[in-house]
Amino acid sequence: MAGSNVEAVVNIVTEAVRTGRLAPGTRLVEADYTQGLGYSRSTVREAFQRLISSGLLAFERHRGVSVCKLTRKQATDVYCVRATLEGLATRLATPYAQENPERFVQLQARLDEAVAAADLSLFSKLNTEFHSQIALAADNDYLLQAIKRFETSIYWLQFRVLVGQNAVFTTNDDHQLIVKAMISGDQIGAEAAMVQHILKAGDLVQALDDDYFQVSH
């Protein structure tokens, strides 16, 4: 039960960050989760520690725990590494996609419908599913763990881009290229398309106002 409670707090905080209810730099108060939600102090502390380890939260002396706020360089570095990891995942997943094209074709059709309806919320959800499906199809547990680590650390950036800029819909062109290459068995082309897709998302993040980034020292 204790383990499931820790996981519950982790999920609550993660979802709050992902959806923007906890903004970058926001301080987390332990009592909000013990008194407000009824979890024990040890459960909340362990959950916070997990999220600090994952990169979603940060700890500072005299300030406590807060939602991580990246510098512009850190954001660039994250997207550079993420592009490499997801590019590799796409290459490894291509043989599976070639043998099971319907899963990816159907998901792409749903993405296309979300764009046509200008539904940012649905597009965001399907975009996450798109990347998760490819990472799972790569069938490499170590790679999957690494991808999830970077995905968690930039939840707030992804949310801000998706709700603030319709330009994100242009990234669906990349999805189409990726799926086309994967189901045709073009591993190199699929990998290259994914790398460019992630780097494009990074460019959108860099277009955000300075307020969303930590000041470099």
Side-chain angles (χ1 to χ4, degrees):
M1 180 62 71
S4 62
N5 285 341
V6 171
E7 194 66 29
V9 175
V10 167
N11 290 338
I12 289 169
V13 175
T14 299
E15 183 65 12
V17 174
R18 188 184 70 80
T19 57
R21 285 181 284 120
L22 285 176
T26 301
R27 182 170 173 267
L28 274 69
V29 180
E30 195 175 281
D32 290 343
Y33 298 88
T34 55
Q35 299 172 14
L37 298 176
Y39 293 106
S40 69
R41 292 178 66 184
S42 60
T43 293
V44 173
R45 287 177 179 176
E46 184 177 343
F48 283 4
Q49 189 57 53
R50 285 193 191 180
L51 290 165
I52 290 169
S53 298
S54 74
L56 190 66
L57 301 182
F59 174 79
E60 296 179 61
R61 288 188 64 184
H62 310 303
R63 189 167 186 272
V65 178
S66 61
V67 179
C68 185
K69 197 173 187 180
L70 304 179
T71 64
R72 284 191 179 275
K73 184 182 184 305
Q74 287 174 327
T76 297
D77 291 346
V78 164
Y79 275 92
C80 179
V81 176
R82 186 183 171 200
T84 301
L85 292 173
E86 294 210 34
L88 172 59
T90 305
R91 173 156 55 86
L92 295 177
T94 295
Y96 175 86
Q98 188 177 21
E99 294 179 3
N100 304 273
E102 62 285 343
R103 291 187 60 186
F104 297 91
V105 170
Q106 290 172 5
L107 180 53
Q108 184 58 59
R110 293 167 65 199
L111 280 161
D112 294 342
E113 290 171 1
V115 172
D119 190 333
L120 278 166
S121 178
L122 178 59
F123 184 82
S124 174
K125 177 182 177 181
L126 293 174
N127 179 67
T128 299
E129 185 178 340
F130 178 85
H131 288 274
S132 296
Q133 187 166 288
I134 290 175
L136 288 169
D139 195 24
N140 185 307
D141 289 341
Y142 294 102
L143 180 58
L144 180 61
Q145 290 172 16
I147 289 173
K148 285 185 175 180
R149 166 69 173 78
F150 282 96
E151 185 179 73
T152 301
S153 69
I154 52 174
Y155 262 150
W156 66 270
L157 285 169
Q158 291 175 319
F159 171 80
R160 179 60 191 171
V161 168
L162 289 172
V163 300
Q165 301 184 42
N166 283 327
V168 73
F169 285 138
T170 66
T171 64
N172 193 49
D173 295 342
D174 300 334
H175 294 152
Q176 294 169 350
L177 290 175
I178 292 165
V179 170
K180 182 178 180 180
M182 289 179 72
I183 63 177
S184 68
D186 181 4
Q187 289 181 289
I188 302 303
E191 179 177 20
M194 177 60 84
V195 168
Q196 289 305 308
H197 173 58
I198 300 298
L199 293 179
K200 180 186 290 185
D203 289 340
L204 291 177
V205 166
Q206 290 298 327
L208 296 173
D209 293 338
D210 290 339
D211 292 344
Y212 296 100
F213 297 91
Q214 183 71 33
V215 177
S216 301
H217 297 291

